[in-house]
Amino acid sequence: MKILTIIGARPQFIKAASLSRYLKSLSGIKEIILHTGQHYDSNMSEEFFSELDIPTPDYNLQVGSDTPARQTAKMMMGIEDIVLKEWPDFILIYGDTNSTIAGALVGAKLHIPIAHVEAGLRSYDRGMPEEINRVVSDSISTLLFCPTETAVNNLKKEGIATGVYNVGDIMLENYQYYKGKAQKTSTILNNLNLKFKKYILCTIHRASNTDNTENLKNIFIGLTNSKETIILPLHPRTKKKIDQNEFLKKYIDQNIKIIDPIGYFDMICLEINAKKIVTDSGGVQKEAYFNKVPCITLRENTEWVETIEQGVNQLVGVDPKKIKESINNFHPQKQNYSKQLYGDGKTSAKIIEILLSN
């Protein structure tokens, strides 16, 4: 069996690490890795491949940044060339990025079966580009590997029931595998002179926030007014926006410390030791749950509804007052983290078993 794995962004590198590691241990399966180059910053790409021991991609399209339509189109052209050359038995896609939908569309048009890892997620906000990518990719995928029963039910509501499997969350598997190594090898706490539970970790990367100066300003006001030490690993898009705006610059170095993009091990270490996590990332919401750290989400909705239902995640949007209030006063109970929301950490084995049987 030949599998073409298509990845292009940080969350996909993390997810692919588990499955690629498992595939390497098996005979009779050849994995071909195609990196679209969606994340083109070396700190957000090469470091992840190195840390997570992901095989060097067989192909790298190096598409870089562009408008959504142009970026997706360039990806599709490159992916199509490689599919026609390799003719894989399956195209394996992850998550909800432009790389995801580009791979799905090429596979569907060339009649190559598509396996979608992290299928069935819905925020029910069509204003999010990721939501469009999810809905379209799921509608044309052959095998849909869901992380939760909620995701399975979302697909049922859309009339998708064939080829749907709840395999648990592959990010949980990767987190469990690397947590110990991250704690042993990361030096980021010492480098930044940080103490256990004495800082707030923040990530801001969604275009709806970083490309909207008013939203970004409100987030910074809320963070500053909390009076807590804020550690903000900076996405290239966010850094560009701040560098272009004198008003935003004035908030830096009050209580907000901006650091360069970091690798997976450093991120795990910062998450484990954080007092709270403030984010607009879907994946970081889950990682907060894995680490039993309260999460504050800078969005009006989330695809990870289980964290809201469990009372360990609050949606605050970009309201400065809500951001400050949650940072200062949101204190979930320990028992809120007791449920096994995202499976048993054996997702890769389940996926491979299903792929081999189809």
Side-chain angles (χ1 to χ4, degrees):
M1 175 180 286
K2 184 188 289 187
I3 296 173
L4 177 64
T5 294
I6 297 175
I7 52 180
R10 172 193 179 273
Q12 294 168 326
F13 307 153
I14 297 169
K15 294 162 193 169
S18 284
L19 203 49
S20 292
R21 183 173 61 249
Y22 197 88
L23 287 169
K24 282 193 294 186
S25 69
L26 302 175
S27 60
I29 300 180
K30 180 181 180 182
E31 182 186 32
I32 300 165
I33 298 178
L34 187 162
H35 184 357
T36 64
Q38 182 173 335
H39 272 178
Y40 51 92
D41 182 274
S42 62
N43 283 340
M44 302 191 73
S45 183
E46 293 172 14
E47 185 172 353
F48 278 87
F49 277 82
S50 174
E51 279 190 337
L52 301 176
D53 196 27
I54 303 172
T56 301
D58 300 277
Y59 301 96
N60 191 328
L61 302 182
Q62 298 181 323
V63 297
S65 182
D66 212 324
T67 66
R70 291 175 63 88
Q71 186 184 63
T72 304
K74 286 189 284 187
M75 288 178 185
M76 288 182 66
M77 292 169 65
I79 292 168
E80 183 181 61
D81 288 343
I82 292 161
V83 170
L84 291 173
K85 176 182 176 182
E86 298 286 355
W87 281 111
D89 297 292
F90 276 97
I91 291 177
L92 188 63
I93 58 175
Y94 292 86
D96 53 21
T97 70
N98 288 344
S99 300
T100 310
I101 193 171
L105 287 169
V106 170
K109 290 178 180 292
L110 293 177
H111 308 292
I112 306 291
I114 303 155
H116 186 194
V117 177
E118 209 175 72
L121 298 183
R122 297 291 183 270
S123 66
Y124 295 102
D125 178 4
R126 292 294 179 93
M128 290 177 60
E130 295 87 351
E131 185 77 356
I132 304 300
N133 293 343
R134 294 174 194 135
V135 172
V136 175
S137 297
D138 284 342
S139 70
I140 55 179
S141 289
T142 311
L143 298 176
L144 300 101
F145 297 123
C146 299
T148 64
E149 199 59 34
T150 300
V152 172
N153 291 331
N154 288 341
L155 292 174
K156 285 181 181 178
K157 292 175 186 175
E158 296 173 12
I160 302 172
T162 302
V164 177
Y165 302 89
N166 181 358
V167 296
D169 197 303
I170 200 159
M171 284 186 70
L172 173 62
E173 179 178 331
N174 216 44
Y175 166 78
Q176 291 174 340
Y177 185 85
Y178 284 112
K179 179 182 177 181
K181 185 175 182 181
Q183 289 177 298
K184 289 179 181 178
T185 60
S186 175
T187 61
I188 194 162
L189 294 181
N190 288 334
N191 295 346
L192 298 177
N193 195 27
L194 297 173
K195 304 298 182 184
F196 180 68
K197 302 301 179 185
K198 296 295 184 182
Y199 63 91
I200 306 296
L201 174 63
C202 180
T203 72
I204 310 167
H205 81 280
R206 290 192 179 273
S208 58
N209 286 331
T210 60
D211 292 353
N212 184 316
T213 302
E214 189 67 20
N215 284 0
L216 205 53
K217 180 187 77 172
N218 287 333
I219 292 170
F220 273 57
I221 290 171
L223 294 174
T224 300
N225 290 344
S226 75
K227 306 300 183 184
E228 295 277 359
T229 298
I230 309 292
I231 302 300
L232 176 59
L234 200 62
H235 189 288
R237 186 192 300 123
T238 316
K239 186 177 187 301
K240 181 179 179 181
K241 178 66 66 173
I242 292 171
D243 287 343
Q244 293 172 344
N245 190 295
E246 291 299 324
F247 181 87
L248 295 174
K249 280 184 181 181
K250 74 178 184 179
Y251 288 99
I252 307 307
D253 295 329
Q254 291 188 42
N255 63 323
I256 300 174
K257 181 176 179 60
I258 288 181
I259 63 174
D260 289 335
I262 54 175
Y264 184 57
F265 289 176
D266 284 343
M267 187 65 179
I268 287 181
C269 201
L270 285 178
E271 289 171 342
I272 291 171
N273 292 281
K275 183 177 182 180
K276 289 181 179 126
I277 294 174
V278 180
T279 187
D280 60 5
S281 161
V284 175
Q285 291 175 59
K286 285 185 299 175
E287 289 169 346
Y289 185 80
F290 301 160
N291 288 299
K292 298 181 172 56
V293 175
C295 186
I296 298 158
T297 298
L298 302 168
R299 291 163 50 184
E300 299 293 341
N301 49 57
T302 179
E303 57 277 18
W304 300 108
V305 295
E306 302 84 5
T307 61
I308 304 297
E309 294 166 354
Q310 284 299 111
V312 298
N313 186 6
Q314 284 193 335
L315 299 174
V316 297
V318 294
D319 185 321
K321 292 181 180 178
K322 289 182 179 179
I323 294 170
K324 174 191 177 297
E325 176 69 18
S326 286
I327 291 175
N328 293 149
N329 298 309
F330 180 42
H331 303 292
Q333 300 298 309
K334 287 184 179 180
Q335 59 264 30
N336 293 37
Y337 296 94
S338 60
K339 286 190 177 181
Q340 197 178 56
L341 297 180
Y342 298 110
D344 58 7
K346 299 177 181 177
T347 298
S348 292
K350 295 173 185 175
I351 289 174
I352 295 302
E353 182 180 357
I354 295 165
L355 285 172
L356 290 173
S357 66
N358 280 270

